[in-house]
Amino acid sequence: MELLVLAGIARKALDQILRNPYRTIEVRSARNVIVIQNLKPGERLFLTYETPQDITHGTEGVIAEILRIERMEQRIPWEESDEREQTVCRVQLRLKGLGKVIEVSKEENMVKVKVREMLPHEMAMG
């Protein structure tokens, strides 16, 4: 299956979705916000700990279905940034499975992967 990628997801968030199949995550990275804005509830995506540059054949991660997307702007204290706001997306996900990348492509500023679904005993995230 072909899926868009949320990259650089914290290991803690990935572990939590593996333990509890429903999880809401906050996405702040510009690249990941762009991905979320190109998806709608009901679609699936691939989440991985790896950075976009490090996603290759064999990269492992989580396949999840989007249940809900909430986009918001957050103010940033002026001492921390030259900007005053940042876009944050809260995404409610449902675990659908585990996957391993078999092919990587780029689509505009997004990474798209072909993924082979895996069984839990095949997974070795880390």
Side-chain angles (χ1 to χ4, degrees):
M1 76 181 75
E2 277 197 350
L3 303 170
L4 289 176
V5 176
L6 288 185
I9 303 300
R11 191 167 309 283
K12 180 176 138 184
L14 294 171
D15 288 345
Q16 287 175 345
I17 198 167
L18 288 171
R19 283 195 301 275
N20 177 4
Y22 293 91
R23 172 96 165 97
T24 299
I25 64 170
E26 277 193 4
V27 175
R28 298 171 192 272
S29 148
R31 186 179 310 244
N32 285 339
V33 168
I34 289 169
V35 169
I36 294 302
Q37 291 177 336
N38 280 278
L39 293 168
K40 349 182 236 294
E43 293 186 295
R44 292 183 181 189
L45 70 161
F46 184 73
L47 296 88
T48 184
Y49 174 78
E50 299 300 333
T51 62
Q53 301 81 10
D54 293 334
I55 297 171
T56 60
H57 181 277
T59 296
E60 297 176 347
V62 171
I63 300 166
E65 177 185 0
I66 297 173
L67 299 177
R68 193 180 58 157
I69 298 171
E70 179 184 358
R71 182 176 177 222
M72 63 190 104
E73 305 298 322
Q74 286 187 344
R75 296 221 178 237
I76 303 169
W78 67 271
E79 303 91 9
E80 294 178 20
S81 175
D82 292 332
E83 296 179 301
R84 294 175 35 115
E85 289 186 332
Q86 71 180 2
T87 300
V88 176
C89 290
R90 296 188 84 206
V91 186
Q92 186 180 38
L93 303 169
R94 176 173 47 210
L95 177 67
K96 296 307 272 184
L98 308 171
K100 184 178 272 193
V101 173
I102 56 175
E103 189 178 311
V104 181
S105 62
K106 302 248 190 275
E107 186 177 288
E108 295 176 19
N109 288 328
M110 300 176 288
V111 176
K112 187 178 247 185
V113 292
K114 284 188 181 174
V115 176
R116 175 180 72 83
E117 287 194 65
M118 299 171 56
L119 299 172
H121 72 275
E122 293 181 274
M123 194 67 164
M125 285 178 48

